[in-house]
Amino acid sequence: MRKNRLMLALIVYLGAVGRSGSVGFVIDTYVVAGFACMIMLTLPHDMRRLLGDITLAFLIASAVIGFFEAIAQDRLLPYPPIRDVFRPIGLTGHPLTLGAMSATAIGFVAATRWPLWVRLLAIFTLYVGAAISTARTAFVLASLELLLLLLFTRWSKLSKRTERRAKGIVLLLLIPLCAVLFVVLLGAGFMERFRGTLFDDSFMARVTIYRVFDYFSWSEIMMGVHIDQLMFVVNEKLDLEFIESAPVVLTMLFGLPAALVFTVALFRLFSRLIRGAAGSAQLGAAVFIIASLSNNTFTEKTSVVTAIFVLLLAYRRPLLPAPSEAPTHVTEQKRPAARASGAATARRKARTAQM
């Protein structure tokens, strides 16, 4: 609730300084996500998990649709053409979103209570979804995520020694299987963007965008500018179509001080939500944050932030009973048994004395 008040105060501030057009994504993305959290907290734990499972089912379906889009070279939802290669979007609004959400969902699937074979099938589907999206950062993160899940997830039904051996065997099988999958997808033409160097036009656009600060004075950087003025410099001076950098957008639209306040508030909110989540869910959230920092997910009108908040609340660790309650409860249960044992001991001593 406190974070929502801060967002509302930021909206009022931007409206007061004449940049109310810059707050659209704050309302549609963060205020809505905050209210979704408040609603989730009113629900019982089982209902939260159900909402989390439904969200994951949507992301898995999106990865499946993206796979068939890559085969058919046609999209289910409308999307403007891209010059380089065909890139599926699934049920999301952008290929990068498909890749990031597929990679993110892998960690949350591991935190579900689904049967093991269902979780493995879902993780495989999401991994393929991250690959065919041609989002290189998301695919690399998904690969690292799988490795970390294998190494650090506890297999509770096995002893530690048996668990280490089993993980070693699975790792020896997983590495060549992932390599074969990569070669197959590459040969099928689903990963054309992986053929070239990492430092292509897309990478250079993410670096070039930081030259935008050269075209504004310190007062404009501190107070912020209108979105039209910012886009004019990006399009005409830097010859870029889009801004794929959250720090640039926040700084230039809000002004540096307000952008820092916004960033700190968002970081604290994410840290609070992540701290109470299951270990694999924390890994999934970390993947989302890293992948989103490579594009403009945090500075656009999107529902994926709400989805992440819902997932983090759905797969929280179960709360333990209060320490003050547990000893009292145990003591009250054991006290009658202790009295009965003491009485029996006294009777035995009396019989011994009579003999």
Side-chain angles (χ1 to χ4, degrees), residues 106 127 138-148:
I106 290 174
Y127 186 69
F139 179 70
V140 171
L141 289 173
S143 302
L144 292 175
E145 186 178 16
L146 284 178
L147 179 61
L148 292 175

Side-chain angles (χ1 to χ4, degrees), residues 20-203:
S20 57
S22 303
V23 301
F25 78 88
V26 178
I27 297 173
D28 291 349
T29 300
Y30 296 103
V31 175
V32 170
F35 282 115
C37 284
M38 294 170 60
I39 295 173
M40 285 281 289
L41 291 173
T42 65
L43 300 176
H45 183 69
D46 290 341
M47 186 64 70
R48 295 182 200 172
R49 274 196 167 265
L50 177 60
L51 290 176
D53 290 348
I54 293 173
T55 303
L56 288 177
F58 175 85
L59 297 177
I60 295 168
S62 179
V64 172
I65 292 173
F67 177 74
F68 285 106
E69 286 178 343
I71 295 177
Q73 294 290 292
D74 191 20
R75 299 183 183 91
L76 178 65
L77 300 178
Y79 187 77
I82 302 177
R83 291 191 299 269
D84 49 2
V85 294
F86 179 86
R87 303 177 68 182
I89 63 173
L91 297 176
T92 65
H94 196 278
L96 294 179
T97 306
L98 173 61
M101 295 308 294
S102 296
T104 298
I106 290 174
F108 288 99
V109 167
T112 64
R113 297 171 180 169
W114 300 347
L116 179 60
W117 69 270
V118 175
R119 280 180 284 170
L120 292 176
L121 180 61
I123 289 173
F124 176 77
T125 303
L126 292 167
Y127 186 69
V128 173
I132 55 95
S133 70
T134 65
R136 292 171 295 188
T137 301
F139 179 70
V140 171
L141 289 173
S143 302
L144 292 175
E145 186 178 16
L146 284 178
L147 179 61
L148 292 175
L149 283 174
L150 175 62
L151 293 178
F152 297 107
T153 299
R154 181 75 174 91
W155 295 5
S156 57
K157 294 184 178 181
L158 301 177
S159 65
K160 290 186 177 181
R161 184 177 180 180
T162 307
E163 178 185 346
R164 286 194 297 268
R165 291 180 177 179
K167 286 183 176 181
I169 295 173
V170 172
L171 182 61
L172 291 175
L173 295 175
L174 185 63
I175 292 177
L177 285 176
C178 288
V180 170
L181 176 64
F182 181 82
V183 172
V184 170
L185 292 176
L186 188 64
F190 295 156
M191 304 177 70
E192 288 295 326
R193 296 184 73 236
F194 288 86
R195 291 183 181 273
T197 176
L198 179 63
F199 304 100
D200 58 2
D201 293 341
S202 178
F203 176 86

